[in-house]
Amino acid sequence: MKYTEIEFDEHNIYKNEVEHNVCYWEIEECFENVFVVLKNKKRGKHKNRRVVLGRTNAGRYLFLVVLEKGGGLIRPISARDMSDAERKYYVKQTKNR
């Protein structure tokens, strides 16, 4: 999946920083590095949401939920540290990239 632009909104920037200690620039870094997009099995109003597993330049593993808005534009909704299982999956998927 190719994303060309990230659209942040102030509410989600604040929420991610306060609740999960994730800064907006760490989210940007995940898309500059190797990332994995998981298939979305949901329908209805959540069909354009994707789960993205990525890594920051400092090596922090992040679990992101983003809204695909079309044309390569995404809006991050939530970001947190990956669980151990998510991290193992990410490492396995990106091993040879």
Side-chain angles (χ1 to χ4, degrees):
M1 188 67 56
K2 176 94 170 147
Y3 299 122
T4 57
E5 186 177 356
I6 302 173
E7 174 186 88
F8 289 97
D9 74 34
E10 294 299 320
H11 171 73
N12 288 330
I13 289 174
Y14 178 79
K15 178 185 69 162
N16 289 323
E17 287 184 3
V18 170
E19 293 180 14
H20 303 292
N21 197 31
V22 178
C23 296
Y24 75 91
W25 50 266
E26 290 179 293
I27 295 169
E28 289 177 336
E29 288 178 355
C30 287
F31 292 101
E32 295 167 0
N33 299 315
V34 177
F35 60 91
V36 175
V37 179
L38 303 180
K39 292 182 181 179
N40 182 7
K41 298 176 184 176
K42 296 190 178 196
R43 302 285 185 244
K45 70 179 184 175
H46 298 295
K47 68 181 178 181
N48 292 332
R49 289 188 184 183
R50 301 289 181 265
V51 169
V52 178
L53 304 178
R55 193 170 175 193
T56 68
N57 294 343
R60 187 176 182 188
Y61 292 87
L62 294 180
F63 176 102
L64 312 171
V65 177
V66 300
L67 175 65
E68 287 185 340
K69 298 191 79 174
L73 176 64
I74 58 167
R75 176 185 288 166
I77 297 171
S78 184
R80 61 166 173 78
D81 289 304
M82 284 186 209
S83 68
D84 289 341
E86 292 160 349
R87 184 175 176 162
K88 286 178 187 175
Y89 179 81
Y90 172 82
V91 169
K92 182 178 177 183
Q93 294 298 309
T94 60
K95 189 173 186 176
N96 295 319
R97 288 169 142 188

